[in-house]
Amino acid sequence: MDKKHPKESKVVNTDQVLSSDLNNYNTLFGGVLMKRLDGCAVLSARRHSRAKECVTASTDSIDFLSPIYQSDSVCVESFVSYTGKSSMEIFCKVIAEDMMSGERRMATTAFMTFVALDENKRPMQVPGIEPETEEELKLFETAPEREEIRKLKREKSKELAGSISLQKPWEDKKEAYS
């Protein structure tokens, strides 16, 4: 399977901030931005793998660096920065631009992991990555460390999930309700 360049999976989506997207601080709701990140990232994953379906395996990190205001435009860029056998790490960056002054700032960075699925909904092999730019190379070279952290976090999450109760709160015999 031939390697691909990250630019082949790049997705760029620019949109305005609507009043319905704002929280009580008059900045973009984090959840609204998370939905936009996931939407762009899955397209990058599908574009890279050419799979009909890719699923979000992990939202590895989302770092909100600067608030986004209603007067800003929001540009989400995503591309595949690293691959495993069937998984793809997608790097996302969000650039906010003040539409009045033209000032641009890095508002958010994120790493998400997707898995490509075949027609039987089983993980399928994906092409590797061949970085070209300085940014792509930096992301590629630092990816194995992020991958190791992801695996450790996943194991810890599974361990924790095994010790969390599935009981409905009203079925908890230890707690007295009055």
Side-chain angles (χ1 to χ4, degrees):
M1 189 172 280
D2 291 339
K3 291 183 177 183
K4 292 185 173 183
H5 299 291
K7 68 182 176 192
E8 295 177 69
S9 65
K10 185 172 264 189
V11 170
V12 179
N13 181 291
T14 305
D15 205 352
Q16 63 184 336
V17 178
L18 302 175
S19 58
S20 60
D21 297 331
L22 301 176
N23 60 28
N24 56 328
Y25 299 106
N26 283 322
T27 60
L28 184 66
F29 266 116
V32 170
L33 184 56
M34 290 166 71
K35 181 178 179 182
R36 291 181 186 185
L37 288 167
D38 193 60
C40 287
V42 73
L43 291 176
S44 287
R46 289 184 62 201
R47 186 173 279 168
H48 180 79
S49 64
R50 291 298 171 198
K52 184 177 179 183
E53 269 186 274
C54 290
V55 293
T56 310
S58 177
T59 300
D60 307 323
S61 67
I62 299 177
D63 294 308
F64 300 102
L65 306 173
S66 174
I68 299 172
Y69 303 100
Q70 189 171 6
S71 60
D72 295 333
S73 69
V74 181
C75 180
V76 179
E77 293 183 29
S78 63
F79 58 86
V80 176
S81 53
Y82 191 73
T83 61
K85 185 176 178 186
S86 62
S87 65
M88 296 159 281
E89 177 190 79
I90 314 297
F91 173 68
C92 303
K93 63 182 174 182
V94 179
I95 299 168
E97 180 179 347
D98 183 306
M99 296 309 295
M100 302 305 290
S101 70
E103 175 205 349
R104 293 169 56 88
R105 64 192 181 283
M106 188 65 64
T108 305
T109 58
F111 288 96
M112 305 172 83
T113 302
F114 284 78
V115 174
L117 302 178
D118 65 16
E119 56 280 344
N120 298 312
K121 305 217 184 281
R122 305 288 308 152
M124 62 179 259
Q125 188 172 355
V126 298
I129 283 291
E130 192 172 303
E132 294 179 294
T133 68
E134 254 184 69
E135 180 179 69
E136 293 166 357
L137 192 57
K138 175 76 171 171
L139 291 166
F140 183 81
E141 288 173 347
T142 56
E145 182 181 349
R146 287 189 302 277
E147 182 179 37
E148 191 58 38
I149 291 168
R150 254 192 309 278
K151 287 178 182 178
L152 289 170
K153 281 175 135 178
R154 185 165 177 82
E155 285 305 312
K156 291 288 183 189
S157 290
K158 283 181 180 181
E159 187 180 305
L160 179 62
S163 64
I164 295 175
S165 170
L166 297 176
Q167 275 188 314
K168 296 174 185 167
W170 56 86
E171 293 175 344
D172 189 357
K173 294 178 176 51
K174 293 179 185 175
E175 200 166 313
Y177 293 96
S178 40

